[in-house]
Amino acid sequence: MNFLEQYNYWIVILLMMSGFYIVIAHGNLVKKLMGLTIFQTSVFILYISVSKVIGGTAPILNDQYTVYSNPLPHVLILTAIVVGVATTALGLALAVRIKEAYGTVEEDVIQEKDLQQEGSAE
Amino acid sequence: MIQHLPILQVIIPLLAAPICFILKEARLVRWFVLIANVMAFVVSIMLLQQVNLNGTLVYSLGGWDAPVGIEYRIDKLNAYLLILVTSISTITLMAAGKSLTKEISESKITYFYIAYMLCLTGLLGIVTTGDAFNVFVFLEISSLASYTMIAMGNDRRSLWASYQYLIMGTIGATFILIGIGLMYMMTGTLNMYDLAERLPEVEHTKTVFTAFAFFLVGVCLKLALFPLHLWLPNAYAYAPSIATVFLAATATKVAIYVLLRFIFSVYGFEFSFSHLPLTEILVSLGLLGIIAASIVAIYQTNVKRLFAYSSVSQIGYMILGIGIGTKTGLTATMLHLFNHALMKSAIFLALAGVVYRVGSVNIKAFAGLGRQMPWTMAAIVIGGLSLIGVPLTVGFVSKWYLVLALLESNWWPIAVLVLIGSLLAIAYIWRIVEVAYFKPALQNNQSYKEAPLAILIPAWIFVLANIYFGIDTSFTAGVSEATAELLFGVAE
């Protein structure tokens, strides 16, 4: 079936959309970060799918093989994974600090408290 | 030495950051960071000299030539932006010592400087690099550092602002990553120069359009174009004042540079403006931003937030200039990019002075400040006049060019709307002037003293630059025209 031939791209789109949906729809700050991680992961799979050469082996030099997968996207995505880890770590650290300062990690409660604070300031 | 200048520009702040960590002592770190910044500034000036002498500089990292290795490519546009970023960051740092002691707890000051240097590294890296993936990496370095700086504000809302910025910023960066991935998929190269050569071959494929769309949305999130600006007002309002000055003056400008580089140099004018309705998109969003953000700014009670919304509207002017798609329009954008950096650094530094003395940026706290802190308030007023676009300030010069470009294209209704945007700017500046100069000081106010010289002098350097470049336009206009020609030249 032609539709399923490039199934990895369909997985990318599925992961991307579900991650994006979680970021938008969930009010819990930690869940939002999980959504964000899924969203980023989908892009990693996109890059790795691009680098696959049909019939190619892993990019290790050997006389037996002549066709290799493209190693460059793998390296790029290693960098992107590091960036993603740093982002998630920073996001979680912020969530901890927010919990300390506001006593909650729910978006709507935080916004309510901010509104109250702004109301009392005036 | 001379041939290694492009990499030194990035390496100096990058290495300075971990050394700060070793030095620990806040006072030591402060001087060290200032010295590193001055060095970066000197390097950027030497780079400009080299570019003026020998034309575009190309530097291959690790001796690997492009397209295998990463290449740093510096032409006139990059060189001038580097000077803009390093000079503003150096002058801002002069005020940092005083301002930070008031706004951040003693133990965190060293960490703030580290984040500041990393953010500077990222911004300089974006400008110097000639590799598309490198742009993403440096963008994330600068973004992660700026989330940290924003979260260090003493109000708890700074945490929430930082978190929101992190979510939106990461979505933007991931979109950029998708865009770059798709470009690589079609061309097999990440080098911008190479991309520009190979993209025309696959110009009509849907993948290239998709790549461009993802990239455009991602960058527009980073530069806070109108409907994607939601992270900006709170981030600027609750960040420590020094972080606000630095980010407002440089971060969005560098994002605009990325946009220009990809629209004009990588994809080329043909692709961006003929195959896509880029003019319609950019002009309508730019105009919406100018009007809507200015109206919202009028109703703000937090003055830092007011100026943050004004930043969103000023970004609208720059985007509008790009959208016109003529050389004069691009000149206007480049001019406004330089000029807006000057205006906003002057205003936000003066506000740092207000925070230092008064401890609040609520509009009510400004009552009577015009008499108590005349120099600080004068800086805000002159910066404000520049925002409005009054003659003899830089704001007038860039608006003049923008209106000129619009009239050249016979778009006079849009020129009228731009002028209405200026009128709205008068409204929000006037609110501050009214409270500061025409209202009696609050009864319980002890009389405030003038802001300390350490903050006042850097602020006035920017104010005087505002006036100087408003009168003597030959330098800025010349540079802007040259860079606009360069961007169009590459496209042809």
Side-chain angles (χ1 to χ4, degrees), chain B residues 138-154:
Chain B
F138 279 122
L139 204 65
E140 278 306 79
I141 292 177
S142 71
S143 301
L144 284 167
S146 47
Y147 308 148
T148 325
M149 281 201 282
I150 290 163
M152 284 184 188
N154 52 9

Side-chain angles (χ1 to χ4, degrees), chain B residues 229-305:
Chain B
H229 70 286
L230 292 169
W231 57 268
L232 187 139
N234 281 338
Y236 283 11
Y238 301 121
S241 303
I242 293 300
T244 311
V245 178
F246 184 52
L247 293 177
T250 57
T252 44
K253 311 295 171 296
V254 169
I256 286 185
Y257 157 79
V258 175
L259 188 67
L260 286 175
R261 188 53 94 193
F262 273 81
I263 288 183
F264 288 97
S265 300
V266 174
Y267 277 93
F269 181 77
E270 257 294 297
F271 178 87
S272 310
F273 284 87
S274 321
H275 299 339
L276 284 171
L278 202 61
T279 305
E280 287 83 343
I281 296 170
L282 292 183
V283 168
S284 53
L285 289 183
L287 271 180
L288 261 175
I290 292 169
I291 304 291
S294 301
I295 291 174
V296 178
I298 296 172
Y299 292 100
Q300 296 303 313
T301 50
N302 180 326
V303 175
K304 259 170 106 179
R305 231 171 109 125

Side-chain angles (χ1 to χ4, degrees), chain B residues 212-439:
Chain B
F212 189 72
F214 269 114
F215 195 88
L216 204 63
V217 175
V219 176
C220 286
L221 243 170
K222 289 279 182 190
L223 63 81
L225 180 59
F226 169 65
L228 307 169
H229 70 286
L230 292 169
W231 57 268
L232 187 139
N234 281 338
Y236 283 11
Y238 301 121
S241 303
I242 293 300
T244 311
V245 178
F246 184 52
L247 293 177
T250 57
T252 44
K253 311 295 171 296
V254 169
I256 286 185
Y257 157 79
V258 175
L259 188 67
L260 286 175
R261 188 53 94 193
F262 273 81
I263 288 183
F264 288 97
S265 300
V266 174
Y267 277 93
F269 181 77
E270 257 294 297
F271 178 87
S272 310
F273 284 87
S274 321
H275 299 339
L276 284 171
L278 202 61
T279 305
E280 287 83 343
I281 296 170
L282 292 183
V283 168
S284 53
L285 289 183
L287 271 180
L288 261 175
I290 292 169
I291 304 291
S294 301
I295 291 174
V296 178
I298 296 172
Y299 292 100
Q300 296 303 313
T301 50
N302 180 326
V303 175
K304 259 170 106 179
R305 231 171 109 125
L306 183 154
F307 282 114
Y309 272 109
S310 124
S311 272
V312 176
S313 81
Q314 300 295 318
I315 288 162
Y317 288 110
M318 295 174 217
I319 296 297
L320 182 62
I322 302 174
I324 299 170
T326 60
K327 210 157 21 183
T328 327
L330 202 56
T331 310
T333 299
M334 289 308 301
L335 261 174
H336 205 52
L337 199 146
F338 286 103
N339 295 345
H340 181 241
L342 293 179
M343 299 172 207
K344 276 291 149 67
S345 354
I347 290 175
F348 278 122
L349 264 176
L351 283 176
V354 173
V355 175
Y356 186 83
R357 286 292 182 216
V358 184
S360 164
V361 279
N362 195 294
I363 186 110
K364 284 187 182 149
F366 278 68
L369 281 191
R371 282 177 297 276
Q372 287 165 341
M373 305 170 74
W375 286 95
T376 318
M377 289 313 295
I380 295 180
V381 171
I382 294 174
L385 290 177
S386 198
L387 272 178
I388 297 167
V390 175
L392 299 186
T393 59
V394 284
F396 175 73
V397 184
S398 38
K399 289 227 172 103
W400 172 266
Y401 270 87
L402 188 62
V403 171
L404 211 66
L406 286 166
L407 293 181
E408 236 176 45
S409 311
N410 275 328
W411 291 358
W412 57 267
I414 296 176
V416 172
L417 284 173
V418 166
L419 295 177
I420 290 176
S422 283
L423 289 178
L424 290 170
I426 296 178
Y428 59 73
I429 301 294
W430 176 251
R431 278 189 65 208
I432 301 167
V433 173
E434 191 193 0
V435 174
Y437 288 90
F438 299 105
K439 280 212 172 146

